[in-house]
Each structure stands twice: as C-alpha cells, then as structure tokens.
Amino acid sequence: MRSSNTDLNTEVCENAMVLNAYPIGVLSVIDNVNGADEGWSRMEPSVGLEFDTADDAREFYSQYAERVGFKIRIGQLYRSRTDGSVSSRRFVCSKEGFQLNSRTGCSAYIRVQKRDSGKWVLDQMKKDHNHEFDSAGENSLPTAKQRNHSAKKSSVNVSHRPKIKSFADGGSCPSGVINFKRLRSSAGEGECIPEPYAGLEFNSANEAYQFYQAYAEKTGFRVRIGQLFRSKNDGSVTSRRFVCSKEGFQHPSRVGCGAFMRIKRKEFGSWIVDRLQKDHNHDLESQMGANKKTFATSKKFIEDVSGGLDSVDLAEINNGSIIKISQENNIGSAWYRVLFEYFQTRQSEDTGFFHSVEVDNGRCMSVFWADGRSRFSCSQFGDAIIFDTSYRKTNYLIPFATFVGINHHRHPVLLGCALVANESKESFTWLFNTWIRAMFGCHPKTIIADQDKAIQQAIARIFPRTHHRFSMWQIRAKERENLRSMSNQFVFEYNKCIYQSQSIAQFSTMWTALIEKYGQRDNIWLKEMYEKRESWVPLYLRRSFFAGIPIGKSIESFFGATLTAQTPLREFLSRYTQGLERRREEERKEDFNTWNLQAFLQTKEPIEEQCRRLYTRNMFKIFQNELLQSFDYLVTKTNEEATIVRYLVRKCGNEDEKHVVTFSALNVSCSCQMFEFEGMLCGHILKVFNLMNVKEIPSQYILHRWTRNAEYGVLRDTESGFSAQELKALMVWSLRETASKYVESGTGSLEKHKLAYEIMREGGNKLCWQR
C-alpha cells in the first residue's frame, strides 16, 4: 500500500523540510573492530544490508548522499493489511519526480523491507543519477556528528535509543494548507487556534491530529484516535476520524459523545476536513492544565509506539500517560446492542441459528453468526471455502468477514459471517475455532484467504491439513509493486514460468534460470514468493480440490455492492438480509430449473445421458463442453505396464496442448488435473474412455456435491459427532427445504397441486406406519 511522499515523521512543503534530528551523543555507533574510520561513513549501499530500524536506513542513506554529493527525500511507504504497520520504505534522491522546477526525474533510490525478525533489509536500489552532484558535504541533510560503526556480515546494527525530534524552519506551505509548526508557535505567543471547519486542509494526517489536539486543549476536552478507512483498490488509508475521548460506552467514563473531526486524503497527498461535529453531550473542562503534556506525549506515541497514524495498534492517552489496551477492539458498543437484538429475533425463528462472541477481560470482542441454512449447506459444501475479508473497513472500522462455499450449481453459498475486533492472530484463531464448532467439526480440504501473516498463522494452527491458497487480488497487487522496476522481457518470462509450466520440475528449472539470467538472486520478494509457491502458483494449486474456483481472477464478494465500505450501522442488517435473500432466491431458481427444464443432448453417447440425469444443469453444461471438446483430440498409446496404460492426448492443430492420461482398472488420471481441482472429468479422460469403449462414468468420478440431490438429499455422515440438537436442526432444514419444493411445484396448476398433495399424503401414511 502506497503512501504519498509525506509521512508522519517527515514532510516536504515547497522548500521547507521537517527533519528528525538527534542530539549529539544520543545516537553513537561503536568503532569498527578494524578501526580507521570504517562504518557508515564509507559503506556503499548494497542489497542485503540490514538495519535495526527504518530510521537507521534513512540515516545511512543520508550520510552516503552527503559523501557523494546529493540530497535525499523520504519516498513511498507500504503498509501491512494485517495491522497497518509499515512493511517497507523507499528513500529517494531529492531530484526524484518533476513536481518542482529543481527536480529532474532522478530514479536513484534504496528500498528497505521489514523482515519477521524485526530487521530492515535493503532489497532494492538504484545508484545512477541523471544530474550532476554537489560538492561533497554541501547542502546535505543535517546529521548527527561523527558516528562510528560495527558491522558483521554486511549487517548494520544500531541500538534503539530515544529520538528527539526537532523541526527545520523555512519555506511556506501552499496557500490554504495549515502549517501546524507555525500554528503551534504562534499559539504559544498568545494567538488563538482557529476553529475547525469543513474544507480546512493539512499537509499530513499527523498535522490534522495535532491541530485537533490543540483545539481540544483550548476548548476543554480530550481526543482519541478513531476509525480509519481504506481504499478497496490498494488498501491505502483514504480518511481518518478523530473523536472526543468520551465517545462510545466501552468505559464508565464515556458517555457516547458524538463530537468528531474526519479528514479525507486528497489526490496529491494533502488532507481536508470533510465531516465535522462540534457539539458535545457533556460538560467541557474550563482548564486543561492536566492535558498540556498530551500533545507531546501523543506525538511520541504515534511515531515511536504505534508506527504512525496509519497503524491501528491504539493506546489511550490520559493526562499525558499511555495506557496500553490488552487487545484492541474496533467494534463500537452500538454494534453489539443491534446485533444481539437481531440474534434473539433469528433464534426465535430458526432453531439452527448459531452465534458466539469472543470475550477478553470481560469485554465483548469478535462476533460470529450463522443461520441453520448456512450450517446445513456447510455439511454439503464445506470442502472448499473462501474466507473473504474484502469488506474490512465499514463506516465503523469493522472488518466484516464472510465464509463462503460453492454449491451444487457452482454458485457461492454463505457459510457464516463475522465482525472481527482486530486483525490479529488471536482474533482469527478464535474465529476459525468458532466456525469449526458451529459447523459440526467441519475441516475444509482447501481455503482461499488473504496472505496476511496473522491469517496464515491462524490457518496453520486451526486447519493444519487444509491447503491455504492466497487471494489473487493480493498476488496481483504485489506483482505490480515489485515487478514495475523490471524489464518487459523479465515480466514476460516470469508470467510464462508461472502460468505455462507443465510440471513441478519444469517450473523449478524455469524459475532458477529466470533468477540467474536477470541477477535477482538477492531479491527478497522473489525469494519469499518461491518459498510460498504452493499457495499461489497454479501448477501447485491444481493438485487440490477448489471446487473449480478460478485461479487467474479475483473472486466476487458474496454480497457484492449490497454491502460497501460506507455502509452505516443503521443500514447494515437490512442490507445484509436483502443480499442474503437475493443469493438464496437465485439458488431456488437454479434448483427449479434443474428439476423442471431438461438440457439438450449434443451427442448420442450414453455417458452424456447419464450425466444429464445426475448433474445439475450448470454442472452438466460444464461436462457437456468437455465431452464436445474431446472429439477434437487425438490419442496415442505411449506405455503399457501390466494393467497400467498411458496415453498421450493432444489437440488437433495445436501441438503445444497435450496431456498424459494414465488408465487402469482401478482409476484414471490426467496431467491437466481437472478432476483433482474441479471434481469434473476432463475431455482428455473422456477421449480415452471413448477409445476404451467405457459407456458409463464410474461412480467415484461423479461427485455427490455436483448432483441434483446434493443439497437437500438424505443426510450423510450423521455419525460424525453431531449432538441430538444439532442433528435435529440439520434434519429440520433438509425436510423444510424439500417440502418447500413440493409447495412451489404444487401451486403451478390444479393438476400439479393434486399430484403434490397425493405424494405428501402417501409419505405421511408411511411415516405413521413406521412410527
């Protein structure tokens, strides 16, 4: 996720630059064991160089620039979607870009990335400049006095020490934009801090926060950091909310105050106040003497503890003291009241309705719920699921998550919903455990979920045998970020390696050749992606059952546009109910079409008639397409050992498309792995069946989940640990849905009504006899 060239520690405004300076002697670096002026003052930037902090990397590049004869600026930062912390940073030549006449579009830079160990590693760089250098030491960024350095194996290790911030003067900001450094200075001289108003602009989110803090101090209340809102395109922060400390009801001291100021990021990186509520529902303090230290304290907290305003690791600031909260909760108290009322209503209507709340130190945290229909659907379609967190940030900063399966029509089906208090390993671990409990112990074969570290850890712990596949939109975003500096030829060969490899051996060979050819052996991102190849490379994914969920494109969210990032609390449940009903109505229509409309046969093959009789309409169309394609294939026997025969199947006129089919009396498989991935036989196998005069598909290759009776047929695996109450809820839903189909069909005409009535009466007589 990209930020503007302005971050919370440093900002450039015309010719004025705010710098982090260090007092002499505070940050000293030990002499090198070999002595003689070694260390940062003589080191060249190189890929693999390690630093304790991002500030150390900036300081190192600043000293290098001073020695060479250029200036640096802080470039883009990228944040983790898990916790909002900064995951990588870019430091660029001051002449990068063309925003000012003095800039020449210089492309020199270094990028450092944060590793799991906490170290920052230089993983990308470019040394070449397109302009002349200044004399060494001239016009360079101010740095601490002489520093020495101790290095081991290309690692720069600097101990963490408190940093003292100071601000450089000079230069004016664009007209109409608040320069908070001058504002604070003038306020200290007795001038009034202006009232906030819609349209007020700031250079950074930090300046807006400091302004609102100062206004609160003058007015007589305290401020807390409220919700943040992210872009659905790249996950970057688009707006922020700062609220009165008495907002909400989570603490006895809070009274639900509605005063707040919301800022929105503009196109060129500045921030503007777009929403504002000044009225408080409590008495204001006349003197805020106890809060005079809050400003400096909160700034230190924001920069040094939370990693910047864009982090969602919050702490409460009270009278200048930082109170760490044991576990952050992004769910406002109003949500619990509304949800619990909804849960009570649903439970009175649906005996199978399930909900659970995570509790931490007596506080309500994450919430999970699933109705009886979702729980029954999971018993049929819980083998491949999507854990979708694309609705992460609603208007109340609540990550809304859905568990989605694929039904027998190959349409999405809801398997549960959750509001996640915070995006941590603990929250996701609780959520997955709760889902298993609600779904009668179901462990999916595969799961599609984001690449976030917290989600990966929770899946590995709760679903140890489940194949975790990364969300494609995240993969695409990472590729755009990391491949944009590569040549077009590299990108072409990269895509060929990923998407055209036919075997694991071929993929490994092509990958190794690609890395060596373009000198990317030290590229950290490529190393990590290769280590995680089984979670995103199509060749590895096709070995597992994903119910045919496409690999090469992003998956549409279950609720689509019904629920968006701006859906307010008062509309959430109504929109949720409407979206769910719309999806289930689509499913009912497909069920009706499957039972009442018959697909046309395209061949005279008995195998086609068999599948039309068994599959749903949508699945039969997929099978029929494979059957028709099989007539364009040529088959050659390549090997025969005892009862095992191998065939080479290739397409007429296309020598590049060929696959190996292995056939025996017990099973059949194809190198394209369509059956393993989708649960449907491919045209290559159907061609071999035709050659071997197989007239009917063996039962093990007709998956029950794709058949007409998949959803509301007789319950299977009822001995798998269901309690009496859980089993009864499943039976209720199975019988209720089956009966509803008699009602729908029986009301079509008087004749159908008589037929449906006779069938149900005959069934009732049998039940009475059995009883």
Side-chain angles (χ1 to χ4, degrees):
M1 291 169 280
R2 187 181 305 174
S3 168
S4 64
N5 286 347
T6 302
D7 81 312
L8 297 171
N9 294 337
T10 303
E11 54 184 287
V12 180
C13 191
E14 296 293 340
N15 296 322
M17 182 175 292
V18 181
L19 305 172
N20 290 337
Y22 305 90
I24 299 173
V26 168
L27 185 64
S28 60
V29 189
I30 304 170
D31 286 339
N32 186 278
V33 290
N34 296 325
D37 244 348
E38 292 293 326
W40 284 2
S41 60
R42 298 206 175 174
M43 287 184 67
E44 295 279 325
S46 60
V47 173
L49 203 60
E50 287 188 3
F51 304 89
D52 281 340
T53 67
D55 281 341
D56 293 339
R58 177 186 57 79
E59 184 66 29
F60 160 73
Y61 196 48
S62 173
Q63 290 195 27
Y64 166 75
E66 181 178 5
R67 188 174 78 249
V68 173
F70 66 97
K71 305 174 191 175
I72 72 165
R73 286 190 296 110
I74 297 177
Q76 297 93 338
L77 60 81
Y78 305 87
R79 294 188 178 276
S80 164
R81 288 190 62 219
T82 303
D83 57 10
S85 62
V86 178
S87 58
S88 65
R89 303 221 52 150
R90 248 171 135 254
F91 305 110
V92 303
C93 175
S94 63
K95 293 185 181 292
E96 183 261 358
F98 299 94
Q99 294 92 328
L100 299 176
N101 293 333
S102 60
R103 300 186 186 175
T104 62
C106 182
S107 59
Y109 76 97
I110 66 169
R111 191 183 83 164
V112 290
Q113 190 170 50
K114 191 174 184 179
R115 307 304 300 275
D116 291 343
S117 63
K119 298 286 187 181
W120 291 76
V121 180
L122 197 160
D123 68 330
Q124 289 184 13
M125 62 171 290
K126 186 169 183 180
K127 287 188 176 181
D128 297 335
H129 297 256
N130 65 353
H131 56 89
E132 295 181 358
F133 292 132
D134 298 328
S135 301
E138 289 184 8
N139 300 321
S140 300
L141 285 172
T143 61
K145 290 195 176 181
Q146 184 173 354
R147 305 167 189 264
N148 299 319
H149 174 69
S150 175
K152 290 183 181 180
K153 297 181 181 179
S154 300
S155 176
V156 177
N157 294 310
V158 181
S159 59
H160 294 282
R161 291 176 173 83
K163 300 180 177 70
I164 298 178
K165 314 288 192 277
S166 65
F167 299 96
D169 295 326
S172 61
C173 289
S175 175
V177 180
I178 290 290
N179 185 329
F180 195 76
K181 296 176 293 301
R182 294 187 174 183
L183 179 66
R184 289 289 295 177
S185 176
S186 61
E189 296 168 2
E191 295 184 24
C192 292
I193 294 176
E195 294 274 325
Y197 59 88
L200 189 61
E201 289 191 28
F202 302 91
N203 285 311
S204 69
N206 197 17
E207 280 192 359
Y209 177 67
Q210 293 174 11
F211 165 79
Y212 198 53
Q213 275 275 22
Y215 165 73
E217 181 177 345
K218 181 195 74 170
T219 306
F221 66 97
R222 296 186 176 89
V223 174
R224 284 192 296 112
I225 299 173
Q227 298 90 342
L228 59 81
F229 310 87
R230 295 185 182 275
S231 165
K232 291 184 68 176
N233 296 325
D234 58 9
S236 61
V237 177
T238 57
S239 62
R240 300 222 51 136
R241 221 164 161 264
F242 309 118
V243 302
C244 174
S245 63
K246 293 184 180 293
E247 183 262 359
F249 299 93
Q250 296 93 328
H251 190 272
S253 64
R254 300 185 186 175
V255 294
C257 181
F260 74 95
M261 182 180 82
R262 195 179 86 162
I263 57 172
K264 187 175 182 179
R265 192 182 67 194
K266 299 183 69 177
E267 183 178 358
F268 298 104
S270 61
W271 296 74
I272 187 171
V273 176
D274 71 328
R275 292 187 186 179
L276 182 68
Q277 174 60 261
K278 291 185 180 181
D279 297 334
H280 297 257
N281 67 350
H282 56 91
D283 294 333
L284 301 178
E285 298 178 28
S286 57
Q287 297 294 328
M288 295 292 290
N291 199 37
K292 289 181 178 178
K293 294 182 180 179
T294 301
F295 194 86
T297 305
S298 63
K299 179 172 175 59
K300 174 177 175 53
F301 161 68
I302 293 169
E303 295 179 345
D304 295 337
V305 177
S306 293
L309 264 177
D310 288 348
S311 172
V312 293
D313 291 331
L314 304 184
E316 190 172 346
I317 302 167
N318 186 15
N319 294 333
S321 301
I322 300 172
I323 306 172
K324 284 295 287 182
I325 296 174
S326 60
Q327 191 178 351
E328 177 206 346
N329 184 4
N330 291 326
I331 304 177
S333 59
W335 280 90
Y336 296 109
R337 183 181 68 254
V338 172
L339 286 174
F340 291 164
E341 290 175 358
Y342 170 74
F343 295 160
Q344 289 174 347
T345 303
R346 293 294 292 120
Q347 280 183 317
S348 65
E349 302 168 348
D350 179 4
T351 58
F353 189 87
F354 176 98
H355 79 276
S356 182
V357 181
E358 179 190 18
V359 178
D360 177 63
N361 292 329
R363 296 184 304 144
C364 293
M365 302 292 286
S366 299
V367 184
F368 171 85
W369 72 95
D371 63 12
R373 176 79 174 268
S374 292
R375 299 176 75 192
F376 183 81
S377 295
C378 189
S379 70
Q380 311 295 324
F381 309 120
D383 46 6
I385 66 174
I386 304 164
F387 178 58
D388 183 8
T389 55
S390 60
Y391 302 105
R392 279 174 188 263
K393 300 294 180 271
T394 69
N395 201 35
Y396 288 79
L397 182 62
I398 299 179
F400 177 51
T402 55
F403 292 87
V404 178
I406 302 297
N407 68 13
H408 53 332
H409 301 297
R410 216 169 187 174
H411 289 175
V413 58
L414 191 65
L415 305 180
C417 296
L419 299 181
V420 188
N422 61 79
E423 297 169 300
S424 64
K425 180 182 72 174
E426 291 74 21
S427 287
F428 289 122
T429 298
W430 174 87
L431 180 57
F432 294 150
N433 264 325
T434 304
W435 186 81
I436 289 177
R437 187 156 51 92
M439 301 304 164
F440 318 110
C442 174
H443 281 71
K445 296 177 181 177
T446 56
I447 182 171
I448 300 176
D450 287 351
Q451 192 181 349
D452 298 356
K453 185 177 178 181
I455 294 179
Q456 289 188 58
Q457 292 174 338
I459 289 176
R461 179 177 175 182
I462 307 304
F463 302 127
R465 295 181 298 278
T466 299
H467 189 166
H468 178 193
R469 167 178 154 190
F470 294 156
S471 302
M472 183 51 62
W473 76 267
Q474 268 196 330
I475 297 296
R476 291 282 185 261
K478 288 288 186 181
E479 287 178 339
R480 287 193 296 270
E481 174 188 337
N482 289 276
L483 298 180
R484 63 184 176 185
S485 60
M486 304 293 188
S487 66
N488 291 336
Q489 185 62 27
F490 176 89
V491 175
F492 172 78
E493 294 185 31
Y494 167 87
N495 287 326
K496 184 177 180 181
C497 172
I498 299 301
Y499 300 107
Q500 297 183 23
S501 297
Q502 297 295 317
S503 66
I504 293 176
Q506 183 184 12
F507 170 78
S508 298
T509 301
M510 292 177 68
W511 183 275
T512 302
L514 179 71
I515 298 301
E516 294 295 332
K517 179 178 178 180
Y518 292 94
Q520 296 297 318
R521 189 180 302 173
D522 296 324
N523 188 304
I524 296 173
W525 177 74
L526 289 174
K527 281 183 179 180
E528 291 179 351
M529 294 308 290
Y530 183 76
E531 291 171 0
K532 298 287 186 179
R533 59 192 179 278
E534 293 189 2
S535 294
W536 67 281
V537 176
L539 181 67
Y540 291 88
L541 297 177
R542 295 193 69 84
R543 298 183 297 176
S544 300
F545 180 74
F546 281 99
I549 301 170
I551 294 177
K553 60 181 181 180
S554 297
I555 302 164
E556 180 187 359
S557 297
F558 182 83
F559 290 95
T562 305
L563 294 176
T564 70
Q566 302 303 320
T567 302
L569 170 61
R570 64 182 179 275
E571 299 178 16
F572 177 83
L573 287 175
S574 61
R575 291 194 188 184
Y576 164 82
T577 305
Q578 292 169 7
L580 182 57
E581 180 55 32
R582 177 178 57 82
R583 286 288 194 181
R584 288 178 174 173
E585 178 61 27
E586 292 172 359
E587 186 177 348
R588 284 191 287 269
K589 288 180 180 178
E590 287 297 334
D591 284 337
F592 179 86
N593 291 338
T594 290
W595 287 101
N596 294 280
L597 301 176
Q598 195 170 48
F600 290 106
L601 297 177
Q602 300 287 340
T603 71
K604 295 182 179 180
E605 298 293 333
I607 238 172
E608 186 182 17
E609 172 58 36
Q610 175 199 10
C611 290
R612 181 175 70 168
R613 187 175 68 253
L614 295 175
Y615 285 136
T616 61
R617 277 173 57 86
N618 284 347
M619 296 311 298
F620 174 70
K621 289 177 183 178
I622 295 172
F623 168 83
Q624 192 177 55
N625 182 59
E626 290 298 319
L627 179 63
L628 294 176
Q629 286 191 43
S630 70
F631 294 109
D632 293 332
Y633 294 141
L634 299 175
V635 182
T636 306
K637 183 188 291 187
T638 59
N639 188 28
E640 184 171 0
E641 298 177 1
T643 60
I644 300 175
V645 185
R646 289 183 176 84
Y647 299 90
L648 180 66
V649 182
R650 56 189 178 85
K651 192 170 186 178
C652 298
N654 187 355
E655 292 296 325
D656 293 332
E657 185 177 337
K658 51 189 176 183
H659 293 279
V660 176
V661 174
T662 304
F663 184 89
S664 71
L666 297 177
N667 55 53
V668 61
S669 63
C670 179
S671 59
C672 77
Q673 298 179 313
M674 180 175 174
F675 182 76
E676 290 79 2
F677 182 75
E678 300 187 33
M680 179 72 68
L681 289 179
C682 61
H684 314 112
I685 290 178
L686 296 178
K687 183 66 176 181
V688 173
F689 276 178
N690 182 267
L691 181 70
M692 302 295 293
N693 202 32
V694 175
K695 298 300 183 182
E696 189 172 275
I697 294 179
S699 59
Q700 67 265 35
Y701 298 111
I702 302 285
L703 295 192
H704 176 75
R705 71 172 337 278
W706 297 135
T707 65
R708 297 168 173 233
N709 296 316
E711 189 166 14
Y712 306 119
V714 177
L715 281 174
R716 298 171 298 141
D717 302 327
T718 54
E719 68 280 358
S720 60
F722 297 167
S723 69
Q725 183 180 0
E726 291 169 342
L727 181 58
K728 183 178 180 179
L730 287 176
M731 291 191 294
V732 166
W733 266 103
S734 177
L735 293 173
R736 181 184 295 173
E737 292 299 318
T738 304
S740 69
K741 288 176 174 52
Y742 281 96
V743 174
E744 290 175 10
S745 299
T747 54
S749 67
L750 187 58
E751 290 300 319
K752 287 184 178 180
H753 168 76
K754 291 179 180 180
L755 178 60
Y757 182 82
E758 287 299 322
I759 292 173
M760 288 190 290
R761 189 173 67 172
E762 182 181 350
N765 290 335
K766 288 183 178 181
L767 286 173
C768 291
W769 176 77
Q770 288 176 352
R771 189 182 305 120

